[in-house]
Amino acid sequence: MSRSQRDALAVVDWRRQVHALYGAVRAERDPAAGHAVWIAGRTELFGSHPASPRMAGQQLRHADYDPAFRFELPMADAAADRFEASTGTDGTVGFERVGRFEFPVAGQQLDASGPAGARPRGAGLDVWWLASYGGGLFVPVRDATAGTLTYGAGRYLLDTVKGASLGSGVAAGSWVIDLNFAYNPSCVYDPRWACPLAPSGNRIDVDAPVGELLPTGH
């Protein structure tokens, strides 16, 4: 088997296992239990799979689950827009905005506790469609912890091409958007990768100290 064939099959298997992992997460009725399944699965793949972007000395780090960062949201309409990302393997990739997730509140504590005047303002994240073969929804996020606790250019919440989706909420038409499942793109670990990063409509100026953090050995 040639090296190119071996590498291609490794990526295929990685994708297959990521799809299966998110399926197992969606099957868990308790979000915290699903989060534990996700951490265990990602840690195993990262540490041992031949397609892992892991470099020597790197280990994943994850924050504890915080239910205040979990939302079930409808996808709101958004004005048409487009951005292009240069990637190391796929060249220039275009994305088209197809919607937006608006959070009811956002801030240092993503709940409605405290007096109304002290509550943080709302925030939202654009939803992008991969405008190339196969398509897919993509939602990156860059929060105020970027560059300190988390990767400076942002993380990913939703990437249906790779199976990264928590599925539907209880209400018809809603999506589970849980920042506890924000994960790092491959370029965080290996600089040979170039990844689409969070455009302006996916940047929130509040802390989300949950999800996948900067790894050890970064």
Side-chain angles (χ1 to χ4, degrees), residues 134-161:
L137 295 178
F138 177 58
V139 180
V141 59
R142 182 185 188 276
D143 68 275
T145 67
T148 54
L149 187 65
T150 63
Y151 182 48
R155 297 173 287 172
Y156 295 170
L157 280 177
L158 184 71
D159 189 355
T160 63
V161 172

Side-chain angles (χ1 to χ4, degrees), residues 49-112:
H49 197 279
S52 171
R54 180 180 181 270
M55 299 184 73
Q58 293 177 339
Q59 299 291 333
L60 294 185
R61 291 195 306 139
H62 295 90
D64 293 338
Y65 190 82
D66 186 342
F69 289 86
R70 182 184 186 276
F71 302 89
E72 295 187 9
L73 304 171
M75 188 186 302
D77 292 335
D81 198 3
R82 181 181 175 90
F83 84 94
E84 294 185 339
S86 296
T87 69
T89 55
D90 300 322
T92 300
V93 177
F95 292 86
E96 298 174 352
R97 185 164 61 188
V98 294
R100 185 168 172 82
F101 291 119
E102 296 286 355
F103 298 95
V105 291
Q108 300 302 319
Q109 294 181 346
L110 298 189
D111 60 28

Side-chain angles (χ1 to χ4, degrees), residues 55-59 189 214-218:
M55 299 184 73
Q58 293 177 339
Q59 299 291 333
Y189 306 106
L214 284 172
T216 60
H218 178 64

